[in-house]
Amino acid sequence: MTTNPIIRFGQLPAVHLQAPDGAEATITLFGAHVVSWRPASGSEQLFCASQAVLDGSKAIRGGIPVIFPQFAARGDGLRHGFARVSEWQVEQNGVANGVSFAEFSLTSAGSSAPNWPHEFALLLRVAVHAEQLQLSLRVRNTGAHPFSFAAAFHTYFKVEEFSACAIKGLHDMAYADHTVTPTQAAHQAEVLLHTTAALDRVYHQIPGDLELLQKVNSLILQQEGFCDAVIWNPGNVALADLAQDDYRHFICIEAAMIDPYWLKAGEEWCGLHSMRSATIDNNCAA
């Protein structure tokens, strides 16, 4: 087994994965945060804000934040939980059968977990090869009492132009629109992102794979354990760590479990999320 090197990303220690076929990923120990993914074809697929804070003083804007144990402000703890602002430990990393991987752990003893007095252990596995990035998150209740939690991979995908993309796989699905008082609506077609307005939509119980379409390439997104999907972009709204036009160059498509899941003492839950880059011939514009 070949050990992947520890590098610096900004001021943060990080593990750099490189598969024999050239696929790469970088994960900071702060938040076990995937901040870069380049398939073997070579182009960066994840967005990181030009003004992202990379010193561990706040959550990183971009990449793939790990959301646990609450989603957004749906709870009494930190917004989006404490996992993304905790220091994780590297359990193992290397290359096996052409796949470059690393595993990171976080426990109740080592987390920044104010107002969440439960005993737990998290294990995140990140693996890259060819055109694919694979993530798995395991949540184990190591205490004597049940607890509930929400979880998500809050993935920021890099795009050439936010308003010129489409998302397949949500045809006619109801969603909750959180840019206004949440209401239920339904699509009559695929999600066409022909807008520069803010998007914040929660789709519950998605039926299968999603696909992010651009002019010449697509990303095929698969998930297990995570039953929901969130589509988010703040639009042209000032955020401290986003430059003025940054919003035009990403779309968040999140694999999520929004409603709290109850985990009994000694039990484990697992959520999987994979993404694969593909070249397409058709233009996604409608």
Side-chain angles (χ1 to χ4, degrees), residues 167-171 173 203-211 220-224 226-229 253-255 272-274:
I167 300 170
K168 288 182 64 177
L170 298 172
H171 183 81
M173 280 200 68
Y203 295 81
H204 290 286
Q205 302 296 324
I206 64 170
D209 299 349
L210 303 181
E211 186 172 7
I220 299 167
L221 313 177
Q222 299 175 311
Q223 60 192 64
E224 297 178 28
F226 297 105
C227 51
D228 308 318
I253 306 175
E254 308 170 36
L272 306 175
H273 187 36
S274 67

Side-chain angles (χ1 to χ4, degrees), residues 37-245:
W37 166 44
R38 292 179 179 270
S41 57
S43 59
E44 179 63 62
Q45 301 297 310
L46 301 180
F47 169 89
C48 266
S50 58
Q51 298 176 7
V53 177
L54 301 175
D55 62 4
S57 63
K58 63 178 295 186
I60 300 169
R61 174 73 68 185
I64 309 179
V66 178
I67 306 305
F68 175 89
Q70 77 173 51
F71 189 85
R74 300 182 182 205
D76 298 327
L78 292 173
R79 180 179 179 83
H80 282 324
F82 52 78
R84 65 179 185 153
V85 291
S86 293
E87 289 290 335
W88 294 56
Q89 302 297 313
V90 181
E91 292 297 324
Q92 60 175 326
N93 67 96
V95 178
N97 299 319
V99 177
S100 184
F101 73 94
E103 294 183 352
F104 305 85
S105 66
L106 180 69
T107 67
S108 42
S111 69
S112 305
N115 302 322
W116 209 73
H118 306 291
E119 296 180 37
F120 69 91
L122 306 182
L123 184 67
L124 175 71
R125 188 179 194 274
V126 182
V128 290
H129 75 287
E131 299 302 304
Q132 191 165 30
L133 172 68
Q134 298 172 312
L135 306 174
S136 69
L137 178 66
R138 296 184 180 275
V139 181
R140 174 165 283 276
N141 183 342
T142 58
H145 304 285
F147 62 71
S148 65
F149 69 94
F153 289 124
H154 195 313
T155 308
Y156 289 69
F157 290 109
K158 183 177 182 179
V159 297
E160 183 175 347
E161 177 58 55
F162 157 59
S163 63
C165 298
I167 300 170
K168 288 182 64 177
L170 298 172
H171 183 81
D172 273 344
M173 280 200 68
Y175 64 88
D177 185 349
H178 291 273
T179 61
V180 295
T181 301
T183 57
Q184 294 294 322
H187 285 299
Q188 299 305 309
E190 305 299 351
V191 183
L192 301 175
L193 303 180
H194 294 175
T195 179
T196 57
L199 288 174
D200 191 355
R201 300 174 179 175
V202 176
Y203 295 81
H204 290 286
Q205 302 296 324
I206 64 170
D209 299 349
L210 303 181
E211 186 172 7
L212 173 60
L213 293 164
Q214 298 191 69
K215 289 183 178 180
V216 296
N217 70 291
S218 74
L219 286 173
I220 299 167
L221 313 177
Q222 299 175 311
Q223 60 192 64
E224 297 178 28
F226 297 105
C227 51
D228 308 318
V230 181
I231 298 176
W232 181 79
N233 182 290
N236 191 16
V237 174
L239 296 177
D241 44 8
L242 280 179
Q244 183 175 0
D245 288 337

Side-chain angles (χ1 to χ4, degrees), residues 6-15 26-31 33 35 52-60 84 87:
I6 299 292
I7 63 169
R8 308 293 291 189
F9 188 82
Q11 299 178 44
L12 301 172
V15 174
T26 301
I27 309 99
T28 62
L29 274 60
F30 176 70
H33 196 126
V35 289
V53 177
L54 301 175
D55 62 4
S57 63
K58 63 178 295 186
I60 300 169
R84 65 179 185 153
E87 289 290 335

